[in-house]
Every structure is written in structure tokens, then in C-alpha cells.
Amino acid sequence: MASSLRAAAINWTKLSVSLPQETVASLQAFRKRNDEVKRILGELKEQNTTVDFSRYRKVLKNQAVVDQAEKAISGFKPIAYNLDAQLNAINQFETKAVAKAEKTVQQIEKELKDLQATLTNIESSRPIEQLTVDDIIVAKPEITKNIEESLQKGNFSIPGYKEKFGDISYF
């Protein structure tokens, strides 16, 4: 009963929006199978389970078979199993799964918030055609340091430049 209350408390639409499509599909398939099993169980519980032995005595010639069947059915006592250990294991697994799902939802919400901030930053930035050398130096001050080190070492060529743009020296 407690697990069904917890399941009812889950916001399935919010959860399905934040999960990957494969997970959502398998979750929906599981829920569909679960609902179908609950429906079948309800139908089976409503069915009549008594056996009309008087009808079988009228139809069958061998009364001993009917007597044996009646004796077997009336003497049948179902064995009661202690399911507490299995139910506790299922409840623990369910608790862990729900906690992990909530943690995943929080993680995805955080990532979405970061991605939205990055997108806003990209949309509000200036086009590259409007950038100046001073803007680039302010954004990446290590470029100036690298250029100064190269000049001090007497290295006036940039590694990979000739491979990318070709050699334009005609001297």
C-alpha cells in the first residue's frame, strides 16, 4: 500500500521530460504492463471459485473420481509464505531507485540551467566581425605572454601556420 502511495506522489510528466527517451519508453511500457496485470487480477478476483460437484455427479458415471476430486479440493490448504524479506528488498530497491531518479532529475535541471546560461551568453555576444585585437587580448591575456616569449626566443614563425595557410615568402 505504501508503494502505491509513493507512486501516486511521483510527477510522471515532469519525470518523463527530464529523462532520456529510452528510459521514458521503458518506463511507460512498464506502467502499461503493470496496469494490465492489475486489471486482470481484479477480473480474476471477481470470478466465482466454487466447484459444483453435484453437477459433475450427474454428468459423470464414475462417482469415485468426483469423490476424490471433492476430497482433494476440500482438504486443500494453501501454504502461507513469509514474504516480508522479499517485500523489504523490493521496498529498499524502490527507495533507492526513486532517490536515484530524483538525483538524476536535479542533475539534469542543473545542466539545463547551465546550458541555458551558455546559450544566453552566446546569443548576447558580439559578432566576430566586430571584435578587435584589444578585445581578444582582454579575453585571453595569455596570447600576449606567448607572443612576447616567442619574440624573446627569436621565433618569428607560428607552428602549423605554413601547413594551414601555405608559405608566402618569395625571398
Side-chain angles (χ1 to χ4, degrees):
M1 187 66 161
S3 64
S4 63
L5 292 176
R6 268 188 257 136
I10 294 174
N11 186 350
W12 291 105
T13 55
K14 183 178 178 183
L15 183 65
S16 64
V17 167
S18 60
L19 291 175
Q21 290 292 3
E22 300 84 27
T23 307
V24 171
S26 64
L27 182 63
Q28 288 174 343
F30 174 76
R31 288 184 64 202
K32 182 179 177 184
R33 287 191 313 265
N34 186 28
D35 292 341
E36 182 66 19
V37 168
K38 284 181 182 178
R39 184 187 64 76
I40 291 171
L41 180 64
E43 289 175 1
L44 291 175
K45 284 183 177 180
E46 291 175 4
Q47 289 181 358
N48 188 7
T49 59
T50 59
V51 179
D52 185 14
F53 289 105
S54 61
R55 180 176 174 272
Y56 287 107
R57 280 191 173 78
K58 291 177 188 174
V59 174
L60 297 174
K61 293 179 184 179
N62 190 351
Q63 299 296 313
V65 172
V66 178
D67 291 337
Q68 283 180 337
E70 186 175 13
K71 183 178 176 183
I73 289 176
S74 63
F76 176 74
K77 301 287 185 232
I79 298 173
Y81 290 101
N82 186 3
L83 300 176
D84 291 339
Q86 288 86 356
L87 292 175
N88 285 337
I90 291 170
N91 286 336
Q92 288 176 356
F93 177 77
E94 181 183 6
T95 303
K96 288 178 185 178
V98 168
K100 188 174 181 181
E102 289 172 352
K103 182 179 176 184
T104 303
V105 167
Q106 291 173 353
Q107 205 172 18
I108 290 173
E109 286 175 349
K110 181 182 175 218
E111 289 176 9
L112 283 173
K113 197 180 292 183
D114 291 344
L115 288 172
Q116 186 62 39
T118 302
L119 182 63
T120 305
N121 189 13
I122 290 170
E123 289 173 346
S124 66
S125 66
R126 290 192 313 202
I128 195 161
E129 297 85 20
Q130 295 178 1
L131 289 179
T132 64
V133 173
D134 295 332
D135 294 332
I136 294 171
I137 290 173
V138 168
K140 295 279 189 178
E142 63 270 7
I143 292 176
T144 306
K145 180 182 170 191
N146 292 343
I147 292 173
E148 288 176 358
E149 287 177 4
S150 295
L151 290 175
Q152 287 175 355
K153 294 178 183 175
N155 186 4
F156 297 105
S157 63
I158 299 172
Y161 183 85
K162 288 183 182 180
E163 291 80 11
K164 189 170 184 180
F165 298 107
D167 190 5
I168 59 169
S169 69
Y170 296 107
F171 304 109

